[in-house]
Amino acid sequence: MTHLPATGTPAATGPDPREPLSLLRRELGTGAEGLSDREASRRLAVHGPNEVQAQQRTHIGRELVQQLAHPLALLLWAAAALAFVARIAVLGWAIVAVIMINAAFALLQERQAERAVETLARYVPEHAEVIRNGRRRTVEARTLVPGDLLLLEEGDKVPADARLTQGGIEADLSMLTGESAPAERVAGPAVQGLPLLQETDLVFSGTTCTGGRAQAIVYATGNRTELGRIAALSRRSHREQSPLEHQVKRVAWFIAAAAVAMGAVFLVTGVAVGLPLTDSLMFAIGLLVANVPEGLLPIITLALAVGVRSLARRGAVVKRLSAVETLGSTNVICTDKTGTLTRNSMRLQSLWTPEEGDAGGPGTEELSRAAAVCTTVTRDPYGQLHGDPTEIALVVGAADRGVCPDLAARDAQRRVLYRFDPRLRMMSVVDPVPGGGDRLVLVAKGAPEAVLARTVTGPGPPAGPAGEARAAADDMARDGMRVLAVATRAIAPEAMPVRREDAETGLRLLGLVGLYDPPRPEVAAAVRRCHEAGVRVHIVTGDNGATAAAVAREVGIGEPELRVVPEAETVSDPELDRLLASDSPAEIVFARSSPETKLKVADALRHHGQIVAMTGDGVNDAPALHRAHIGVAMGRSGTDVAREAATMVLTDDNFATIVTAIEAGRRVYDNVRKFIVYIFAHLTPEVVPFAVFALSGGAVPLPLTVLQILAIDLGTETLPALALGRERAEPGSMSRPPRKSSQGVISRDMLIRSWGYLGTVSAALAMSAFFYVLWRAGWQPGDPTGTGSPLHDAYVTATTATFAAIVTCQIGTAFAARTDHAPLREIGLLTNPLLLAGIAFELAFTAALIYAPPVQGVFGTAALPLDVVLLVLTFPVLVWGTDELRRAVRRRRYTSRPR
C-alpha cells in the first residue's frame, strides 16, 4: 500500500499531501500550467488507470467442483446413485437437482465480496476537469495521474485524492466518515497530527462537492486513494464459513464414516453367517441408504430461507442464509449511537445563560433566537426545513419559544457568513441588529471550549462566567446532550474586520444550548433482552464520550459496569485486548472513534473467540463489516458500499431489530437441531431390520426393502422435517447464554435421544408389527418367504406393516422433537399448522403406496388388514409419550439439583 494510513502517519512510499505545498508540487513535478499531455501519458503507464480494481475472480468451474464435492453433496451423490441402481430414476434426478441448486446458491455467496468492490468502483466519476498544457480540459477520470491540476465546482464528484491549492468547497464526506453534515474544505496549510479525513485542505475520491469552487493537485489515484485502500481491505477480508457450515461438514463426514463402517461390518457379518453374497451386498446397500439423510441439506437450506423471509418482514434483510444461524451464536454487538440507539432527530432540550442559569427568562429567549440566526437552514415553499439536523433543531426550538427569525429575510440581509470550520470548531454570521438601524452583530456558535476561548472572559483561570459555563457544559454532556456555546459581538459597519480571525474575537457569551437526540423507545427493552441472553453491547461512536455514556446508561448499556474510552483512536492493541477480554463483564463506549477503530475492535473480539455483530453505514465501514461475523448496515442512512459489504441490512436502522434477528437466529438453530433429531431418530428403525436379518443368518427375512427406505427418506420424512424448521421459539430461548462457536450442531445428548430413546422405541414397535403379521400367518424362523412360497403374501404384508409402523412412529417423533426440554403443552399441540399439513401428506402418501395397485408392485407393498392398521395407529402416542416422560424426569432432576 503506497497511500497514507488514516492514523496520520505518512506512508513509506508516495508523497505526503500535508507537507508544504511548494515541496508537494516539487515532488509531484507539476506547476501552475499542470502536466503536459506527454507527461500525463507517461505517468498513466507508470501508475495505471485511476480505477478501483476488482479482485480477479476464480474460475467458476473450479468453484463449482468444490461445491459439488462438499461432504453432504457426496452423500447425496451416493443416494442418487443408489436410487438409479434401484431403478427409481425420478428420485435420482430429484436428488441431483437438489445438489445443483445448493451448489449454485453457494457460488452466489462467494461473489459477495467482489460485488462490494465493484460497488466501490462506481463511486469514481467518468469525467473530470483538469488543467493540462496550461488550458482547461475535460478528460476521462480513469486517465487522471498524480500531479494533475483538478478543477472542482458545485455538483462535481471528486475523481481522485487531492490537496486544494486555491479556493474552497463544501464536501459531502458521509460515504467515508458517516457524518451527514457537509465539511468545509479550504486551501491552506495542513495541521500536523490530524487524521487524513479531518484535514481541511484534502478532498477524497468518490466524495461530492456540494458548494464552492476550488483548484486541487492530485496526489493519489486508483487503488492508492482512500477509496482504493478500503477496496483492498474488503478484498482481503474473505468471508469465513459460519459455525453451522463447519458443523454440517463435520456431521456429513460423521454420517459417511458411520454408514460405510456399518455397511462393511454387516457385509462381512452376513457372509460369515452364511448369507449369499448377493443378499449381503443388498443388505449393505440398504444400510448405506438407511444412514444417508438425503433430505438433511435441502431441509437446512429451506429452514434458513424461512428464517430469512421472517426477518425481512421484521426489518432485517439477511443476504446469506447461513448468517441466520450465526446470529443465534452472537455474543457481542458493537453498535453506532446516532440513528441506531437514538432516533437521529435532534431537539433543543436545555438552555443556560450566565445571568439566569437554566431557570429561563429573557436571556434564554435572546439565546434561542441568536442560535437560530447563526444557521444556514432554509424553508421550502411547503414549509419544510432543510439543512443540518443540528441547526434544524435550533430553528425548531426557537419557533417553539416564539422567537424564530424569518429565515428568508435573515438570508437576504446577511452581510457575512463564516461557515463551520472543523479546525476552529465553530461558525459565525454577521447580520443587522433587528430594529437597530445600521448596526451589525456577529453571532458565533460552536464547541464550548472553542467559543469560550474567544470571549472576553475566556482566557485566564477557570473561574467566573467562563468557569461556570464550562461546568454547565460538562453537566449537559453528562446528561447525554450535544452542547453548543453561542456568543455575540457588536460590529460597527465602518469597522467591519476583513479577516475571520479578527472578527471572531472579543465575544460576549450569551449562553449554552443543549441538543438531545432521544433514544428509540424500544431500545431499552432490547438491551435488557440482550443482557438476559448473555449478549454484551459496546458502543463505537464518533461522538463525545460523556454524551455517548449518558445515552448508554439511559438505555441500560453498561450494567453492571460501563467503561468509557474517550479517545478510541489512540488505544493500543494490548490495551484493547485488556478491555475486551472475554471474562470482563464491562460494556464499553469507544468515543471519538473512526471507522478504522471498528476494524480494530472487530479484530480484537474475534481474537478472543467472540461472535461479533458490527453496525456501520459509511464506505469506510466496509472492512469492519466484512471482518465481523455479522456486518449490519443501515438501510436508510447507509451507503451502497456498506449495504453491499454487510451480511444484514436494517431497513429501519433500529437496534431492536438486531436483537430480533439474534432471537430468530437462535430459533432457527434450535429448529435445525429439532429436525436433525427427527431425521436421525429414523436411522435406528431403518437399520435394525437389516441387523436382525443379518444376525439371524437369514432365518428372519428382510423386514424392510431398500425402496421402502427411499420412500421414507425422500417421501414421508421431508415435509414434517421442513415444518419443524418453522417451529416457534421454545420458552426461554433468550434466557440462556449464547452457545460457544465450537459447540457442535449435533451433541451427545441429541444422539442418545434420537438413536437411544426415540429410535429404539420406534425400532421395537416396527419390528413388533412385522413379527405380529408373520406369526399370525403361522410363520416360524427359517420358513421360506420367497416368491411362490405359501408365506410370501404374508411376508409382503409384514414388510408393509414395518414400513407403515416406521411412518407412524415418525409422527410421534415429530411431536416429540418440537421441544427439547419443555412439555408440549407449553407450545401447544396444534400451534404448527404446517406440521399438521405435513403429517396429513405423510399419511396420504403412505396410503397411496400401500393401497394403490400400480404402486404396490414397485415398492413391494400390500394392503394392510384393519387390525394391523389399528395397531400401528397407536405408535405415534407411544413414541411421543415415552419421550414426554423422559423429558419430565430430566426437568425434575434439573430443578432438584443444588444451585
Side-chain angles (χ1 to χ4, degrees):
M1 185 173 67
T2 60
H3 188 46
L4 302 176
T7 57
T9 303
T13 60
D16 185 347
R18 294 166 294 189
E19 62 193 0
L21 189 56
S22 58
L23 180 58
L24 181 63
R25 286 184 185 274
R26 188 161 60 247
E27 286 195 29
L28 291 171
T30 189
E33 294 187 351
L35 302 176
S36 65
D37 289 334
R38 181 180 301 176
E39 178 64 16
S41 298
R42 187 190 68 79
R43 295 189 184 190
L44 184 62
V46 172
H47 295 280
N50 178 36
E51 296 174 334
V52 177
Q53 297 176 359
Q55 185 179 22
Q56 185 177 4
R57 293 187 175 185
T58 55
H59 193 272
I60 191 169
R62 187 181 308 142
E63 292 184 1
L64 183 60
V65 170
Q66 292 175 352
Q67 298 301 332
L68 295 179
H70 184 280
L72 264 184
L74 293 176
L75 290 179
L76 290 174
W77 282 121
L82 291 171
F84 286 120
V85 168
R87 298 181 180 180
I88 309 178
V90 173
L91 293 177
W93 287 118
I95 297 173
V96 170
V98 168
I99 297 170
M100 300 307 294
I101 291 172
N102 280 284
F105 180 77
L107 286 178
L108 292 177
Q109 295 178 1
E110 296 299 326
R111 300 296 184 182
Q112 180 177 343
E114 295 167 8
R115 288 200 303 270
V117 175
E118 291 164 1
T119 304
L120 282 166
R122 294 201 298 268
Y123 276 87
V124 179
E126 296 180 357
H127 296 90
E129 297 291 324
V130 298
I131 295 177
R132 285 187 181 169
N133 299 318
R135 296 191 305 271
R136 177 170 181 154
R137 294 179 52 186
T138 301
V139 299
E140 290 186 17
R142 66 185 304 276
T143 66
L144 286 176
V145 295
D148 261 323
L149 288 183
L150 185 65
L151 300 175
L152 297 172
E153 296 181 353
E154 182 177 349
D156 289 346
K157 188 167 283 187
V158 180
D161 288 4
R163 176 174 172 177
L164 300 187
T165 58
Q166 296 178 17
I169 64 170
E170 282 189 333
D172 179 2
L173 304 181
S174 60
M175 61 170 291
L176 290 176
T177 65
E179 296 292 334
S180 59
E184 191 173 79
R185 292 291 184 259
V186 294
V191 178
Q192 295 300 321
L194 284 180
L196 279 183
L197 294 179
Q198 295 181 19
E199 283 288 356
T200 58
D201 58 348
L202 300 182
V203 291
F204 302 98
S205 176
T207 60
T208 305
C209 174
T210 59
R213 179 179 297 179
Q215 179 179 293
I217 182 172
V218 174
Y219 66 86
T221 59
N223 287 342
R224 295 176 178 86
T225 63
E226 285 293 301
L227 200 64
R229 179 182 65 82
I230 297 165
L233 287 172
S234 296
R235 286 195 297 268
R236 290 197 294 269
S237 299
H238 295 298
R239 185 186 72 83
E240 297 184 2
Q241 287 186 325
S242 73
L244 182 61
E245 289 170 317
H246 281 296
Q247 294 301 325
V248 166
K249 281 194 173 183
R250 291 179 59 185
V251 169
W253 287 121
F254 172 76
I255 293 172
V260 172
M262 291 177 65
V265 168
F266 282 104
L267 175 61
V268 173
T269 304
V271 174
V273 299
L275 287 177
L277 180 61
T278 54
D279 289 349
S280 298
L281 283 173
M282 176 61 70
F283 156 68
I285 291 173
L287 277 180
L288 180 61
V289 175
N291 278 281
V292 174
E294 292 87 352
L296 180 61
L297 189 59
I299 287 172
I300 288 176
T301 302
L302 290 172
L304 294 174
V306 167
V308 167
R309 288 196 298 271
S310 174
L311 284 175
R313 289 193 295 268
R314 300 183 181 188
V317 178
V318 178
K319 297 160 57 180
R320 193 173 71 239
L321 289 187
S322 59
V324 178
E325 179 270 336
T326 308
L327 280 162
S329 57
T330 297
N331 50 19
V332 177
I333 301 175
C334 296
T335 178
D336 291 315
K337 178 182 72 69
T338 304
T340 306
L341 297 178
T342 65
R343 297 179 179 179
N344 197 19
S345 177
M346 286 281 187
R347 66 168 184 249
L348 184 58
Q349 176 83 359
S350 180
L351 297 168
W352 179 92
T353 63
E355 297 82 13
E356 301 166 352
D358 57 3
T364 57
E365 292 185 2
E366 181 186 3
L367 171 61
S368 182
R369 177 180 175 81
V373 166
C374 190
T375 65
T376 57
V377 175
T378 60
R379 192 187 303 272
D380 64 22
Y382 303 99
Q384 295 295 317
L385 296 174
H386 300 275
D388 178 76
T390 299
E391 294 191 340
I392 290 176
L394 295 175
V395 171
V396 172
D400 291 342
R401 289 164 174 78
V403 292
C404 184
D406 185 322
L407 300 182
R410 176 204 64 184
D411 293 342
Q413 298 171 6
R414 178 163 290 166
R415 303 295 178 86
V416 179
L417 168 63
Y418 297 117
R419 294 187 179 275
F420 178 77
D421 187 326
R423 289 182 293 188
L424 302 176
R425 301 182 65 191
M426 61 184 296
M427 71 166 287
S428 59
V429 299
V430 178
D431 288 350
V433 176
D438 294 336
R439 288 187 300 159
L440 301 176
V441 62
L442 179 142
V443 182
K445 79 171 192 303
E449 55 269 30
V451 174
L452 289 172
R454 289 167 174 80
T455 62
V456 292
T457 58
E468 294 174 4
R470 291 187 180 94
D474 291 342
D475 290 340
M476 287 183 178
R478 281 192 290 270
D479 288 337
M481 285 180 270
R482 181 182 181 186
V483 185
L484 298 174
V486 181
T488 62
R489 174 192 172 186
I491 296 179
E494 65 277 5
M496 181 69 193
V498 177
R499 300 187 307 171
R500 176 173 185 170
E501 53 266 35
D502 295 331
E504 294 175 337
T505 187
L507 304 176
R508 178 180 68 88
L509 179 67
L510 284 183
L512 306 173
V513 293
L515 298 160
Y516 185 61
D517 185 8
R520 293 176 179 267
E522 63 274 18
V523 167
V527 170
R528 188 163 54 250
R529 291 173 64 200
C530 282
H531 292 163
E532 292 172 355
V535 179
R536 287 191 295 169
V537 183
H538 302 313
I539 299 177
V540 188
T541 178
D543 211 337
N544 172 275
T547 300
V551 172
R553 294 187 182 95
E554 187 166 352
V555 300
I557 295 175
E559 297 178 0
E561 181 183 356
L562 180 68
R563 297 181 184 175
V564 179
V565 180
E567 296 292 336
E569 287 192 58
T570 64
V571 177
S572 65
D573 286 344
E575 186 178 355
L576 195 58
D577 286 336
R578 287 194 297 272
L579 285 168
L580 297 174
S582 58
D583 57 349
S584 171
E587 293 178 320
I588 304 169
V589 172
F590 294 96
R592 301 301 187 198
S593 297
S594 68
E596 281 75 12
T597 307
K598 291 185 176 182
L599 185 57
K600 289 175 60 178
V601 170
D603 273 332
L605 287 168
R606 290 180 67 104
H607 175 74
H608 289 284
Q610 308 296 305
I611 304 297
V612 188
M614 174 75 72
T615 69
D617 53 14
V619 168
N620 218 11
D621 289 330
L625 295 177
H626 267 299
R627 189 61 180 150
H629 296 89
I630 298 291
V632 183
M634 303 297 111
R636 293 180 179 176
S637 60
T639 60
D640 289 342
V641 175
R643 287 191 288 266
E644 196 70 47
T647 311
M648 183 171 73
V649 179
L650 303 183
T651 58
D652 55 3
D653 293 8
N654 193 341
F655 176 84
T657 306
I658 303 175
V659 184
T660 300
I662 290 176
E663 182 177 16
R666 292 190 176 192
R667 178 174 62 85
V668 167
Y669 183 80
D670 288 346
N671 288 347
V672 167
R673 291 168 66 96
K674 288 174 184 177
F675 63 67
I676 287 177
V677 166
Y678 171 76
I679 290 173
F680 275 30
H682 308 142
L683 299 183
T684 303
E686 290 176 356
V687 168
V688 164
F690 290 93
V692 171
F693 167 68
L695 295 175
S696 68
V700 176
L702 195 62
L704 195 65
T705 68
V706 174
L707 296 182
Q708 289 168 353
I709 291 176
L710 286 172
I712 293 170
D713 289 348
L714 292 174
T716 65
E717 181 178 83
T718 304
L719 285 183
L722 179 59
L724 288 174
R726 299 290 296 270
E727 193 63 58
R728 63 173 56 187
E730 195 167 348
S733 65
M734 287 295 282
S735 299
R736 63 174 188 259
R739 73 180 187 279
K740 296 180 180 179
S741 58
S742 58
Q743 178 182 327
V745 69
I746 296 180
S747 65
R748 183 176 62 87
D749 286 346
M750 287 174 62
L751 293 179
I752 292 175
R753 183 186 183 193
S754 56
W755 290 345
Y757 288 96
L758 294 170
T760 300
V761 171
S762 298
L765 293 174
M767 293 306 299
S768 68
F770 175 75
F771 287 122
Y772 171 76
V773 174
L774 282 182
W775 285 334
R776 192 183 60 170
W779 170 85
Q780 295 295 323
D783 289 349
T785 57
T787 304
S789 65
L791 292 173
H792 178 67
D793 290 340
Y795 167 69
V796 173
T797 303
T799 59
T800 306
T802 306
F803 168 70
I806 292 176
V807 171
T808 53
C809 287
Q810 280 181 328
I811 298 173
T813 302
F815 280 103
R818 292 183 64 193
T819 65
D820 179 59
H821 59 277
L824 183 61
R825 65 175 181 274
E826 288 193 8
I827 62 172
L829 181 65
L830 306 177
T831 52
N832 190 339
L834 284 178
L835 179 61
L836 301 178
I839 290 173
F841 171 82
E842 185 177 21
L843 292 174
F845 182 79
T846 302
L849 263 61
I850 293 175
Y851 294 103
V855 185
Q856 288 177 334
V858 176
F859 287 91
T861 58
L864 293 176
L866 179 61
D867 60 330
V868 177
V869 172
L870 294 176
L871 173 66
V872 298
L873 286 179
T874 64
F875 291 174
V877 177
L878 294 175
V879 172
W880 165 78
T882 54
D883 189 71
E884 188 80 9
L885 289 174
R886 182 192 65 84
R887 282 181 280 124
V889 171
R890 289 190 64 184
R891 288 194 303 271
R892 192 174 299 111
R893 288 177 181 173
Y894 178 79
T895 54
S896 61
R897 187 183 307 163
R899 299 296 176 90

